Structures are given as C-alpha cells and as structure tokens.
Amino acid sequence: MLQQQNNMSIKQEKRTRRHKKIRINMRGTKDRPRLFVFRSNQHIYVQLIDDGPGGHPAKILMSASDSDLKLVKGKSGTRKSDMAKQVGILIAKKAIENKIEKVVFDRGGTLFHGRIKAAAEGAREGGLKF
C-alpha cells in the first residue's frame, strides 16, 4: 500500500514540475486569456484565466465543468471523453458571449490526449482559436 501511495505522489510531482516549466513561457491576458484544463479521475474542469500584468494575482474570468453540464442538460452516464468535449463547447459559448475569441491553451502538465484533447476540440468547435 505504501509503495502505491509513493508512486502516485511521484506522478503528481512530475505533473506539477511539467506544468511549472510550461507556465514559465505562458501568460494569459484580458484579450487572450489562458484556457486551463484540469482533469481528475471523475471530472473535468476548464477555466479562462487572466494572469494580469507583473506580479498581480490571476483572475478567473469564467469556468465550466462536467457538473455544470449535468445541471444544464440533465445528462449523465455518457463517456468521460464526450463530457469533456461538451465542456469545451460550453466554455467556448461563454467566452464568445463575453467577446473572447482567442485563447492560450494550458494542458496543465498532462498529455494532450484523451479528455484533454476532447476538451480542446470542443472549444475549437465552439469557436475559440488557439
């Protein structure tokens, strides 16, 4: 059991290290915010973040998750990758309503594969450009 916990914490540390490396060169602005995707084992969360100039704290402009989608459409029991695509479409609709068309994609240190890729494709289908 201890070995399994150790492996999970090592995986998490590696992901955070990759995310820090990526974030060094990536900044979101008010005109072109950062589209951050976080995936857990059960859910997926997408946020549009304005990192602000200099050392100012980041602002979350808007967010969407699969739990929002369940409330809106009343769907449950679909595949996680399909839900991720729908979340991407939902965040794109919210962004376009607020006159945001271009974003910087932040995968959060995870591979661009599976649910992360599905969320990105959904956001592109919804009209966002990255």
Side-chain angles (χ1 to χ4, degrees), residues 80-92:
K80 289 191 267 187
S81 58
D82 295 337
M83 292 293 279
K85 190 170 189 174
Q86 294 299 318
V87 169
I89 291 171
L90 182 64
I91 195 77

Side-chain angles (χ1 to χ4, degrees), residues 6-20:
N6 232 357
N7 287 341
M8 291 305 289
S9 63
I10 289 170
K11 281 184 179 182
Q12 186 67 23
E13 287 172 14
K14 285 183 177 180
R15 188 195 69 78
T16 10
R17 192 177 322 133
R18 281 191 306 267
H19 191 216
K20 283 181 184 177

Side-chain angles (χ1 to χ4, degrees), residues 5-89:
Q5 287 177 341
N6 232 357
N7 287 341
M8 291 305 289
S9 63
I10 289 170
K11 281 184 179 182
Q12 186 67 23
E13 287 172 14
K14 285 183 177 180
R15 188 195 69 78
T16 10
R17 192 177 322 133
R18 281 191 306 267
H19 191 216
K20 283 181 184 177
K21 278 183 177 180
I22 292 168
R23 285 280 294 120
I24 288 171
N25 297 322
M26 185 183 304
R27 278 202 91 52
T29 62
K30 193 162 183 92
D31 300 327
R32 191 171 181 164
R34 181 167 51 102
L35 180 71
F36 176 67
V37 180
F38 176 76
R39 129 189 106 69
S40 69
N41 285 340
Q42 296 285 321
H43 302 285
I44 190 154
Y45 307 92
V46 182
Q47 298 174 331
L48 282 177
I49 302 172
D50 173 16
D51 290 314
H56 294 290
K59 279 187 199 171
I60 297 173
L61 301 175
M62 62 198 71
S63 64
S65 69
D66 56 352
S67 57
D68 295 340
L69 197 62
K70 289 175 187 172
L71 292 174
V72 171
K73 295 193 176 184
K75 284 187 176 181
S76 62
T78 58
R79 290 187 349 205
K80 289 191 267 187
S81 58
D82 295 337
M83 292 293 279
K85 190 170 189 174
Q86 294 299 318
V87 169
I89 291 171

